[in-house]
């Protein structure tokens, strides 16, 4: 079985973390800046969820990117430690600015999130991953989630915001739906950026249905899963997994 360990340590086709001259990177920046993926609503939901943690907590941000959404969501919570992990030095440089004024120690690490979690490198109370776990195959997602379950123990939580396919919808049908849904809604992207996005999605996206995400959570040892938010386009859902 191919595992995330076997993957080359490169942000491509993981995507969106590379050079400022990479059209996938510039397209992703446009998508975030124009709220095409509902980062604002997700940030608010994340803040609400984190405010419920009634004690100081260590926060692990897997594939943190520029960490803008998470840093904003963490303000005013009981966060005691922040760790952001990403493969891209470009993304981490931006993240360094975003986490500078967090009221807690913040560490950033250039690393493969899957390899680090499987190696049990990062103890944490809350683990968050946004728009990145779907690059792993189903069995790899399951292994990653088992590692997260071990990391957070019996009192933590795992929060994700990831693409969802319909029950029985295969990858080509999902890609068509992605294109038909988002293309008209993302007018700021150039034709080159849109083509780069679709090429990246077709190469690297492995969405799960909501029931699939719940199954993976249960198999990893999480007792409960809640759907917290779905973007208006119905493409991406935020889940909370509780031990
Ligand atoms: C689509 S961006 C998401 C960034 C951020 N989580 C957000 O929601 O805005 C994907 C990020 O994952 C990073 N990435 C992709 N594969 C990775 C891996 N295996 N390990 C660590 N980072 C990875 C990329 O460098 C990029 O910064």
């Amino acid at each position: 079985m191919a595992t995330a360990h076997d993957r080359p340590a490169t942000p491509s086709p993981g995507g969106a973390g590379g050079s400022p001259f990479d059209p996938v990177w510039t397209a992703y920046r446009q998508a975030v800046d124009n709220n095409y993926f509902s980062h604002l609503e997700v940030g608010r939901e994340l803040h609400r969820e984190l405010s419920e943690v009634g004690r100081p907590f260590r926060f692990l941000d897997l594939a943190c990117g520029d960490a803008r959404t998470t840093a904003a969501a963490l303000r005013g919570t009981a966060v005691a430690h922040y760790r952001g992990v990403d493969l891209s030095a470009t993304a981490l440089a931006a993240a360094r600015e975003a986490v500078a004024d967090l009221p807690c120690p913040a560490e950033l690490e250039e690393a493969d999130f899957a390899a680090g979690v499987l190696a049990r490198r990062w103890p944490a109370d809350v683990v968050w991953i946004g728009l990145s776990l779907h690059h792993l195959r189903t069995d790899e997602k399951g292994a990653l989630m088992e590692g997260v379950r071990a990391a957070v123990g019996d009192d933590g939580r795992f929060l994700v915001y990831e693409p969802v396919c319909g029950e029985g919808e295969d990858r080509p049908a999902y890609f068509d739906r992605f294109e038909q849904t988002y293309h008209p809604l993302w007018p700021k992207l150039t034709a080159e950026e849109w083509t780069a996005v679709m090429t990246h999605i077709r190469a690297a996206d492995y969405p799960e249905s909501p029931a699939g995400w719940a199954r993976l959570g249960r198999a990893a040892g999480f007792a409960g899963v809640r759907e917290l938010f779905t973007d208006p386009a119905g493409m991406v859902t935020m889940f909370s997994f509780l031990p």
Side-chain angles (χ1 to χ4, degrees), residues 11 14-17 28 39 63-65 86-88 91 111-113 130-132:
Y28 189 70
H39 275 82
C64 61
D86 203 285
L87 277 177
S88 157
D112 181 319
F113 70 77
L131 298 173
S132 300

Side-chain angles (χ1 to χ4, degrees), residues 160-228:
V160 313
Y161 183 54
E162 293 292 337
V164 286
C165 57
E167 207 57 55
E169 182 181 46
D170 62 11
R171 288 180 74 230
Y174 165 80
F175 300 143
D176 289 347
R177 185 164 61 91
F178 188 105
E179 178 140 41
Q180 284 155 16
T181 304
Y182 277 142
H183 198 190
L185 297 176
W186 294 17
K188 296 268 175 66
L189 265 58
T190 65
E192 187 204 7
E193 286 171 339
W194 180 258
T195 301
V197 166
M198 282 315 302
T199 302
H200 159 69
I201 300 278
R202 288 180 195 281
D205 274 23
Y206 295 87
E208 306 288 340
S209 68
W213 284 110
R215 263 195 306 276
L216 283 167
R218 276 195 301 276
F222 290 99
V225 56
R226 283 184 301 144
E227 290 183 28
L228 300 179

Side-chain angles (χ1 to χ4, degrees), residues 80-91:
H81 183 268
Y82 171 91
R83 184 188 308 281
V85 176
D86 203 285
L87 277 177
S88 157
T90 307

Side-chain angles (χ1 to χ4, degrees), residues 64-85:
C64 61
D66 66 13
R68 268 195 286 170
T69 300
T70 42
L74 284 163
R75 287 193 192 98
T77 70
V79 63
H81 183 268
Y82 171 91
R83 184 188 308 281
V85 176

